[in-house]
Amino acid sequence: MAPIAVGETIPDGTLAYFDEQDQLQQVSVHSLAAGKKVVLFGVPGAFTPTCSLKHVPGFIEKSEELKSKGVEDLLLISVNDPFVMKAWKKSYPDTKNVKFLGDGSAKYTHALGLELDLSEKGLGIRSRRFALLVDNLKVVVANIESGGEFTVSSAEDILAAL
């Protein structure tokens, strides 16, 4: 399956997260993104070095700046279960406007065409690192990394595109 591209509509799918009352929720991606400008960004795994030390902190730090440019929500997706995503979120002092969403079976990641097979490293099927700027379900910017790189999908890259 080809990766999602500029001009395409993001697929709908169900992701999981824990709400402010610590209740497990299932949510439709379309319900989070319809009628809004959002950044949907994905990482290979929770607690992994580049994801935890660079990619996610960049979006947390730049969240207010992104909001000032019209981005309503920052949606982080990882092929991890919602319990891992909850623990990962708690590892940051402040997650500001970033919603940590679990795609435990990689179904949504597959629907985006962005799966990455890291079985050789003992990690199984994961997500490629990416950042999509989405406006009312349409992809406006598709910054998709090759392999384990981190060169085009940062918060700064999305800010530059805005």
Side-chain angles (χ1 to χ4, degrees):
M1 175 179 216
I4 188 101
V6 171
E8 294 181 349
T9 299
I10 59 169
D12 200 5
T14 302
L15 300 172
Y17 73 101
F18 280 88
D19 65 17
E20 294 75 28
Q21 290 74 42
D22 204 27
Q23 298 298 309
L24 181 60
Q25 301 293 328
Q26 302 286 324
V27 66
S28 149
V29 175
H30 278 193
S31 74
L32 295 173
K36 298 179 184 177
K37 186 181 289 185
V38 302
V39 174
L40 187 67
F41 69 107
V43 297
F47 296 108
T48 57
T50 301
C51 305
S52 292
L53 301 174
K54 296 179 183 174
H55 203 178
V56 174
F59 278 99
I60 292 170
E61 291 164 14
K62 300 290 185 185
S63 67
E64 293 301 326
E65 196 174 342
L66 286 159
K67 281 199 165 266
S68 75
K69 300 218 181 241
V71 173
E72 293 181 61
D73 288 310
L74 300 169
L75 309 173
L76 166 61
I77 298 174
S78 185
V79 180
N80 291 105
D81 67 63
F83 299 95
V84 169
M85 295 301 283
K86 173 182 161 183
W88 193 26
K89 181 177 181 176
K90 286 183 177 179
S91 74
Y92 294 98
D94 183 3
T95 54
K96 297 199 175 153
N97 305 304
V98 177
K99 186 178 288 281
F100 285 62
L101 302 162
D103 182 21
S105 298
K107 286 182 181 175
Y108 191 72
T109 300
H110 178 74
L112 290 170
L114 296 175
E115 65 272 20
L116 176 65
D117 188 349
L118 293 176
S119 297
E120 287 183 12
K121 295 183 179 182
L123 298 172
I125 300 299
R126 294 297 177 130
S127 173
R128 290 171 63 178
R129 187 179 314 283
F130 68 88
L132 305 175
L133 179 60
V134 178
D135 193 352
N136 194 25
L137 306 179
K138 293 277 187 203
V139 177
V140 179
V141 173
N143 292 349
I144 301 169
E145 303 285 359
S146 296
E149 294 179 3
F150 181 52
T151 58
V152 299
S153 64
S154 71
E156 290 84 0
D157 293 313
I158 294 295
L159 280 167
L162 286 166

